């Protein structure tokens, strides 16, 4: 025994003290280009590697009849440094996840319930769109505009995972019409007419 | 129109000809450290980004009462270069995914149905184990021994995603007892007695 | 001499034969997630590392009074594998580079002539916009919507560089209104009214 | 002189103040996914880049007649951020480094003295095993089970290097039999019988 | 409105609180292998993404009749984590940027004014040299010796960008003759004679 | 048995067919920014992971009384994609590895025999130099000028490993004096006088 523990501690004491197989994020610690600093391994429990927030349906009582519940590093520090994160998409009848991008990650969508029409647009303006059934998966390359629409009569549910703990989410309409980007600039850079921009800003709460 | 198309084609002709937002794998092409070579974008359809193979349950009529259905780059070339892949875990009553590692990726498990007891062991021999319910997710860091056990009376189902198109899968018992690693070496490197090794080799088909 | 050449060739013969400090892209060779395969070093000249296509002004006689001339890997194979590429922005009076993203790279803009109003919108809808003078530089993080507008009475010129040989370029209006994404889907995913979508599709050549 | 120093300090004052060619780890500072924070360059001496701990033989008076002396970032902070680390393997006659993996790095082994039988098992259960003489090197891909056995009558010595400052080390028997993973779970996930598990737990100090 | 903001805040409150699209460097915070820690996004303004220090010509009244003005992370924290940085090269008539390397980045040079003879030497001692005109660009692979010489009668100006926020700059003569590397070692490792070394040390301020 | 093999083949047939844990380089296949394409796993033997070329001393009968024997990807295709390579340094009495850099990798040196004075120069011209004994290791950051000198009366031997399969090796004197870089340019970019440059070119075989 003793001798084993000699070898054992020789290796693992140092490992234990300073070397980690993972880096659960300490959201109160410094954040850097590679992610958050690590919680001390001695403080970790299995709960640091588990997230229960996706078990509950999101609230779809809104004008898009849909909800996105993220499990990014901000909600689930266990993904810090792992090159992975997840989110839950709830789509009520008629629900839609509007045109958006993830600036920081590729996406893999898995339909858990119902039917979803999903698609993305490539840099060369090629369009890739289809309707997915339960159990089918589709990938959406990083940074490209994409969307999901409930294609069935009933609710639909999907799990999406990302190639980064911090994929980001830029919803086109919110960026243009819920921000304070001056109407004049939105018009000049989108070819939309001023009336359309002002109307959507009124709906989505944009200013400027 | 014409003038727009001037700008348009100026950028996109070249983009279209040579620049890609993605790299759907050509499994017949050369494979390199970063993945397979890309299918020509002009040949792509939405089906290249969709995989339906996870819609069907795996066959759990085996001694582990479980099945793993992979959607790695070898089955789903659309994930090539995206830092993502997936798999479906079917666990019949009493089913278990035996102790294994993924040498090439971190894992995120999402329970879709039933209850699953899952855990991993860290380099310092700390054990992180818990029982997950439907909708709960857990992460397993790259290269560490982990397992999943059906914790319920009925079947259980999980979707796992990985931080690589090519996570690899090394099942401990298959590595030791279904390979041709000589019994003498297995004994010497695992402290297992020869009788145990021979018995398991007989069950799992190992030689040597 | 001889002895030096012994050491010399010992190292460099192999280097010369097989090891490269760089990987000039062979656009006829296979393309992979990390870029194009390399031209044989023995065939290279200094011209493989030089690109003259940015010396000439782009044609700004179009409805945006602007032109983007890329030096991406498709035009300049010398950047293959270097994590860099460039482009030239010509902005005539009143010119604008419409709202767009680069799915695959961060951008650094340097104003060479005139005044340019530039900005981007972050995932949290914060807007970062300013007017830049000659010699000033600004960065635009990967995948975020951004734009450049000529803020002066005369022409403006900028050099932009990217953190990838293959940054991609998704121009918002082209993606929505010059593609074949069905009008019904554009309407449903952008909250724009059908008339607006049809009008812009007519201008930009979209179908569906 | 003065003028040179003008240019000189122009560049290097800032470099000196803030830019580093390296990042010697400050083990008391925050640890992140990319490694430890850097010691201030002004505090560094050549000793920060040197490690003498591998000069001394490890203690092989244990049941495996072998010792692993690590020079990972925890012991040698100079490797922080360099994508490299090392370790010394001492194998007394009959010595063995038991079946193990490095979850975080590839390995390159160089035999410095004696003869070593080494091998690894791939994901497809292929076995790659051979006996190495002094001066021969072998690589072991990340995350795969591997081992080293003294193949000679006398002691053997090897230097191993890794593709990460923090390769990790998971010794199979310690993970299964020196941890607190419940015997019932070990049995269920390894097909080993309970008696074998309990016997090895008794030897290696496992609980549960 | 309310409902939108429900969805909206659901996603963006967390994003806003903890998830960033970028990581502007906090030069007072910890520095790690991946760069500096991030300034809190709530404190950021557009000025954090803009650098005006390259608008002013460098002082070329020195023995090389040239100046390098860096916009590395140390001067422009906005490039932290973006894989990009820049610098301005001013070359008076007869000016030269002496033989140097960037240990940490590839370089892309763009001639803004005048004519510049530039070149680099590869590991196999191949030489790639040419003379560039206004608007032409050239790349210099990481870590290779290279130089720029004013090839015209008047001043020349170039903008260089790098594939890292922290490219480093090692000027050969400063390393050898402005450092405290003992003359005996310089002689032994460069084949230069002692008189030459001592003369250049006297000019450049080296000791030892 | 059958049932196990069902699961077994379900997973491993595909793995075996298309997914690799490693990518042994096919030096006849295409080379890309991430390395060479992979040899088919079915053709591999343990010899693909072993290199015996470092077992033999290099020929030190040359003017530097030293030899470098590389085990880079060009000589040892097994390191392809592994982020590792190695080399053997033989230093006869009085031997020296002249001032050089590795443009593509960090280095870890281990002294196997004798005494070696080693050092490097940082971007800020700080010098880190020491004398190493048998068993001591030292790291040299990527791209920085460094050297090794036999510090003993007898021969010295070292094993060096690198953080890349393709570290590159630029020997300062060979780059300047064994290349065809015109003498006039060498003089202008190094401050060396023409006589010195011509003398060294004569010794090392440079032209121009």
């Amino acid at each position: 025994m003793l001798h084993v523990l000699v070898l054992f501690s020789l290796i693992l004491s140092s490992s234990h003290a300073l070397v980690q197989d993972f880096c659960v994020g300490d959201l109160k610690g410094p954040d850097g280009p590679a992610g958050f600093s690590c919680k001390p391994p001695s403080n970790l429990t299995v709960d640091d590697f588990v997230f229960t927030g996706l078990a509950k349906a999101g609230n779809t009582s809104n004008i898009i009849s849909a909800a996105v519940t993220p499990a990014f590093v901000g909600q689930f520090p266990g993904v810090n440094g792992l090159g992975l994160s997840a989110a839950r998409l709830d789509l009520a009848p008629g629900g839609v996840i509007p045109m958006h991008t993830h600036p920081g990650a590729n996406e893999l969508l898995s339909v858990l319930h119902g039917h979803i029409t999903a698609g993305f647009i490539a840099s060369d303006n090629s369009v890739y769109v289809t309707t997915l059934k339960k159990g089918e998966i589709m990938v959406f390359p990083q940074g490209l505009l994409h969307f999901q629409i409930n294609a069935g009569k009933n609710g639909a549910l999907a799990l999406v995972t990302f190639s980064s703990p911090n994929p980001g989410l830029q919803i086109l309409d919110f960026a243009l019409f819920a921000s304070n980007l001056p109407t004049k600039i939105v018009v000049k850079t989108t070819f939309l007419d001023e009336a359309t921009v002002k109307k959507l800003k009124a709906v989505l709460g944009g200013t400027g």
Side-chain angles (χ1 to χ4, degrees), chain A:
Chain A
M1 262 318 293
L2 186 60
H3 292 140
V4 178
L5 294 185
V6 165
L7 162 67
F8 192 76
S9 58
L10 178 64
I11 297 162
L12 299 188
S13 61
S14 46
S15 305
H16 189 66
L18 291 164
V19 170
Q20 302 195 40
D21 304 305
F22 35 71
C23 178
V24 173
D26 172 3
L27 301 186
K28 297 192 182 58
D31 185 14
F36 287 93
S37 57
C38 316
K39 284 181 66 170
S42 47
N43 298 357
L44 298 176
T45 73
V46 68
D47 294 340
D48 287 292
F49 300 95
V50 173
F51 185 68
T52 63
L54 301 190
K56 197 168 140 301
N59 174 5
T60 60
S61 308
N62 53 48
I63 60 168
I64 61 171
S65 301
V68 178
T69 308
F72 299 169
V73 67
Q75 296 79 40
F76 182 17
V79 297
N80 189 55
L82 296 188
L84 282 171
S85 61
R88 171 191 178 121
L89 305 186
D90 289 282
L91 292 151
V96 54
I97 308 294
M99 197 68 76
H100 65 285
T101 64
H102 302 288
N106 297 296
E107 171 179 343
L108 187 149
L109 176 140
S110 173
V111 177
L112 304 186
H113 181 69
H115 295 68
I116 294 176
T117 296
F120 67 88
I121 310 165
S123 283
D124 64 359
N125 300 333
S126 303
V127 172
Y128 300 92
V129 56
T130 191
T131 296
L132 303 163
K133 293 192 302 294
K134 178 181 178 179
E136 298 181 338
I137 63 178
M138 179 174 180
V139 286
F140 304 88
Q142 179 168 355
L144 297 180
L145 285 163
H146 62 289
F147 61 88
Q148 290 96 12
I149 300 172
N150 186 344
K153 289 198 166 37
N154 307 314
L157 176 64
L159 179 73
V160 289
T161 51
F162 300 97
S163 61
S164 164
N166 183 9
L169 168 58
Q170 180 162 61
I171 300 174
L172 176 57
D173 275 50
F174 290 172
L176 295 179
F177 308 122
S179 73
N180 64 10
L181 186 64
T183 298
K184 218 172 63 198
I185 290 181
V186 178
V187 168
K188 197 161 181 49
T189 58
T190 63
F191 306 167
L192 295 172
D193 55 71
E194 187 168 340
T196 299
V197 173
K198 285 187 159 160
K199 191 187 74 190
L200 283 162
K201 280 199 168 195
V203 177
L204 294 176
T207 60

